[in-house]
Amino acid sequence: MITIWFSIVGFMLVTYALLDGRNFGAGMVHWFVARTPLERRQVIAAIGPLWSWHEVWLLGFGGTLVAVFPPLMASAFSGLYLALMMILWCLILRGVSLEVGGHIGDRLWQGFWDFVFVISSFLLAILFGAAAGNLLRGVPNDA
């Protein structure tokens, strides 16, 4: 039974990484491929309809991990609260920038939220990469 649950949790994490990885990529190259405000709105519109659906896989992963493997969750996040809070803030800022950035037609307003979108996408990719590297290297679970 543990193998089945581990497979389900792994599937959820891989699905999130594949689906939301495209959104991270769009956020990271947002300023480099889109030169005008219209092109920047087109990049955001390309990921706009489905960006929040992809994060459901991350929530499912976290909820299943808490429900099925609580000691693993407790030991994994007990020393990584700062990184977890940074990831949560980046996810929140990325979502807010997508939702709020286009509401006002002012270039300064849109430029600020485009900047937040790019920076939060970069930071998310770096933080998730650091987390994957630490998992591969091995995180000590002893006192």
Side-chain angles (χ1 to χ4, degrees), residues 16 19-23 43-57 94 98-99:
Y16 169 73
L19 292 176
D20 215 24
R22 179 182 71 103
N23 298 346
V43 171
I44 289 175
I47 65 170
L50 300 175
W51 74 268
S52 63
W53 295 5
H54 299 158
E55 293 177 357
V56 171
W57 289 103
R94 199 170 123 249
L98 285 173
E99 292 293 330

Side-chain angles (χ1 to χ4, degrees), residues 7-141:
S7 300
I8 291 170
V9 168
F11 173 75
M12 287 181 185
L13 186 60
V14 168
T15 303
Y16 169 73
L18 290 175
L19 292 176
D20 215 24
R22 179 182 71 103
N23 298 346
F24 292 164
M28 289 188 291
V29 300
H30 182 67
W31 274 359
F32 304 115
V33 298
R35 299 288 181 199
T36 66
L38 178 64
E39 290 174 346
R40 290 185 180 148
R41 295 296 108 190
Q42 288 175 342
V43 171
I44 289 175
I47 65 170
L50 300 175
W51 74 268
S52 63
W53 295 5
H54 299 158
E55 293 177 357
V56 171
W57 289 103
L58 184 64
L59 291 173
F61 165 76
T64 306
L65 199 64
V66 167
V68 178
F69 302 113
L72 174 67
M73 187 73 166
S75 65
F77 288 125
S78 65
L80 304 172
Y81 282 127
L82 178 62
L84 180 63
M85 289 300 122
M86 289 175 66
I87 286 173
L88 288 175
W89 272 106
C90 287
L91 285 170
I92 291 168
L93 287 174
R94 199 170 123 249
V96 168
S97 67
L98 285 173
E99 292 293 330
V100 175
H103 283 276
I104 297 176
D106 185 33
R107 283 187 60 142
L108 185 63
W109 176 267
Q110 290 177 351
F112 170 74
W113 288 111
D114 287 344
F115 175 75
V116 170
F117 180 58
V118 170
I119 294 300
S120 61
S121 295
F122 265 111
L123 285 175
L124 277 171
I126 290 168
L127 290 168
F128 280 135
N134 283 334
L135 287 176
L136 289 175
R137 191 185 75 189
V139 179
N141 288 330

